[in-house]
Amino acid sequence: MSSKYSEKNTINGAAVALEDYGTISAGSSSTEKVTLIADDELVTSDEELGLQLKNIQGYDPTLDKGNYFRDGKRKIDFVLVYEEILEKKKQKSSTSTESGEPQKKTQQEKHEMWRQKFMVNLKKAGLDMEEEVVQGDKKMIFYIKLSAPWEVLCFYAEDLSLRAPLQAHPNPSNNWSEGCLRTVHMPNCMAEEVPNQPLDYYTCQFRKSKLDRFLGSDNRATYFSSTQRSGIVHEILSAAPYGKRKRAEVGIHRLLEEEVYQAAFPLHDGPYQKPKHFVPPECLNPRQILFSYWARWGKWFKYQPMDHIREYFGEKIGIYFAWLGFYTAWLLPASIVGVLVFVFGIITMNSNTPAIEVCSSGGDFQMCPRCSEKAGCTYWNLSDVCIYTKISYLFDHPGTVFYAVFVSFWAVSFLEYWKRKNASLAHHWDCLNFEEEEERPRPQYTSLCPTYEKNPITGVKEPHFPQRDRLPRILSGAAAIVLMIVLVLIFIVAVIMYRVLISVPLFQNKTFRPRAAMIASMSSAVVNLILIMVLGRVYEKLAYKLTQWEMHRTQTEFEDQLTFKVFIFQFVNFYSSIFYIGFFKGRFVGYPGNYSRFFGLRNEDCSAGGCLVELAQQLAVIMIGKQIINNAQEVLVPKFKAWLHQRKLGANKNVEKARWEEDYELIENEGLFQEYLEMVLQFGFITIFVAAFPLAPLFALLNNWIEIRLDAQKFVTETRRPVAERAQDIGVWFSILDALAQLAVISNAFLIAFTSEFLPRLLYKYQYNFDLKGYTNFSLAYSPNGTMTHECRYRAFRDRDGEYTLFFWHLIAIRLAFVIIFEHVVFGICRLIDIMVPDVPESLEIKIKRERYLAKQALADTDTIMMLAKGDEDDDQEDGMRLRIPTQKV
């Protein structure tokens, strides 16, 4: 075997014969075109014929010469960019001529050597190259344009298990909202006709030996889409060495980290702005269509063109936007019910007997000081906090109990119906079993593995990292997570101490005394939010490095582990202070004369309005504050980065630039991790603590309407085009969402039972007074004799000696019973929903079986088909099937 052949047909260092790698039958050389066609599938009209043709009179990518080599024939699939400062280049040439003695290579010389080796290996892999140089005042920018020839595309398409179209069929884009509006005969303002709608195909894995059986194989220029072409070239770039493999000197990602190249990206399909002259919508390029029909703010109420997004950015980004749109749509009913519950609280607020008693009490209830009398805290009247008692009712009334149950069912139903939607999308986009059957090792994994071992499934030797070496790394990563979580808890304790210390001077001041608890709570929430955001950013970078070090085989495994690490930390980071207020604050205070202390400070008690109001405050500040900060970052940070990048390049907006120059001036795409993390944390806020803040889904809905357009504009107009990645679902994020939905049931049960006043008032109704008259006095205990300067009251069900009353123990029993009944009923109904809603729709199962049938026919050997046809001729005629065998080509 020649060196050229062995290099060109090498996958991760192992030479593989082109026809034998990944094919069904290595010995098969038959290329006869034989297709079994049912009577109802024959093309009988012009309308049906149109389903098999794509973009005949619409946008033609071959006419856009800005994405082609100078010859106008070879398409640019990828661009590599590196820069050289002119002063350094002159110094390099002068030092090399002054001394003939061998010197140690400078970093610039080392980078040049690596680039040359890398280019040589890319040429051996079969890529075509063309260089463009742009000289500025201070630097020279080199653009290396890469193109994959037909043979390379075919080889890697088979190697990567890309899907090839067998037969076109219509794909009606119906959805539940459109069906509902049609049923009631209402116009659908959300629907819009988007030009150049991609067709749906029955597909199977690509086989070069069966090429003539796939639709469109006669047009080599457009057979592979731009996303497929760039994905293939990215695979080659990721596996090509530039030095010694033992030193892991492999792949474009490592070269970018070493700043040998400044950027590597596929090109956008032209500009996103429409031409000034009139152009028919079907003649717009894909990027212009996405901007005009999706990324513009005026399209906020329109359906997302999911097939166009997937075709331009790939399945992974397509599934993210499909999930985000689906989640946002489901937030609408949750928001409406939440607003109704909140309005119910406003309407019934003036009939709240305990609040009326507090406001009309005057000086009847002298309350104990909120801190030590020695520190200067004074006695106060319960009527001072009249307004906060009324406000607390908005978040703590019987309607919130109903809403907590409603949101529990909503969360489970949302996840169940997303599974159905996800299965339909994964099949429609040809990635249904991608992770199980087709996913290859990560390029970074293959470049760093020390050994090769045979894959037990494929039988092909591939890079392998021993499990015994990975385990210590995983344990080290777990230890790092624990240390960071401990650091978060230390900061939480610091925030609690800040809240206690700041409360003392506020209570001493007569002006701030009525609002002291609220000011302390709000200011501590803001401080906590700042600490949360800073710690989150630091840990995310640490988690990424740790996950890289752990050496996970596939991209899915890598992302799942990274997601798990970051979410565990962010869960503690964002929710720990909220859990503390909801379940621990005010529980271990003690009573006058016997107060519990922590670091010499008296344990903090709930505010006069109750802990549920403080919980709502904390939740609102962290959730809404985080949304404002994230949206501000998404608007301002990309623009600032783009301005800074263009300033460094010395870009001149008045000069016409080539496509690759314009794309290089855009900022790098940072992926979807932050987008998913933001939405999943939001899902936790609106489910786990919804009993305390029924307006949370409304704020989430408003944020997501903005989020979709911000993300769309960022991907279409502000960032370089990302490499299209395949994915069949949202990955481990779904498991996290499911865990949050389960946790929400438990959390809301305990919030209603132990933090809300719902059960104490309910028990008082049935034991003492159904109208709650006298409840305020009943819920206040007297300070034990001799413990305070003056007799005062405090919130607790205790007698004059500080012992718990019988009512308290009855209440504990009812609270525990409520938690058990609530959980069992909700979990039982949720399980029933899970059983009643199948994960895969029945219509989709039929489609999957149909596609497997067609794929089996298309890839079967001719002799086998002929034998089956001869033996089953009578059965075929009875079933309306006919065997068509065209004349064999010579």
Side-chain angles (χ1 to χ4, degrees), residues 121-138:
N121 287 321
L122 293 182
K123 287 181 180 178
K124 288 180 179 179
L127 296 183
D128 293 334
M129 300 181 188
E130 191 173 79
E131 186 179 55
E132 298 284 349
V133 182
V134 178
Q135 183 168 342
D137 296 333
K138 297 181 180 179

Side-chain angles (χ1 to χ4, degrees), residues 361-409:
S361 62
D364 294 344
F365 302 115
Q366 180 177 258
M367 306 298 292
C368 297
R370 301 299 299 272
C371 58
S372 173
E373 289 184 89
K374 296 179 181 178
C377 289
T378 60
Y379 297 88
W380 54 285
N381 292 320
L382 186 61
S383 58
D384 294 344
V385 293
C386 167
I387 185 65
Y388 302 109
T389 306
K390 288 184 176 181
I391 292 174
S392 68
Y393 179 76
L394 299 178
F395 304 97
D396 189 4
H397 58 82
T400 57
V401 179
F402 158 77
Y403 193 54
V405 177
F406 170 81
V407 170
S408 298
F409 295 151

Side-chain angles (χ1 to χ4, degrees), residues 603-627:
N603 285 357
E604 60 176 347
D605 198 356
C606 295
S607 65
C611 276
L612 211 63
V613 175
E614 284 194 64
L615 181 61
Q617 289 177 356
Q618 187 86 358
L619 192 62
V621 169
I622 293 178
M623 177 184 169
I624 300 173
K626 178 179 178 296
Q627 289 179 351

Side-chain angles (χ1 to χ4, degrees), residues 532-542 569-570 573 630 633 670 674:
I532 284 170
M533 300 301 287
V534 172
L535 283 173
R537 289 294 182 185
V538 172
Y539 179 74
E540 282 168 18
K541 295 183 182 298
L542 174 63
F569 172 79
Q570 293 287 38
N573 194 21
N630 285 339
Q633 285 179 338
E670 297 180 350
Q674 286 296 331

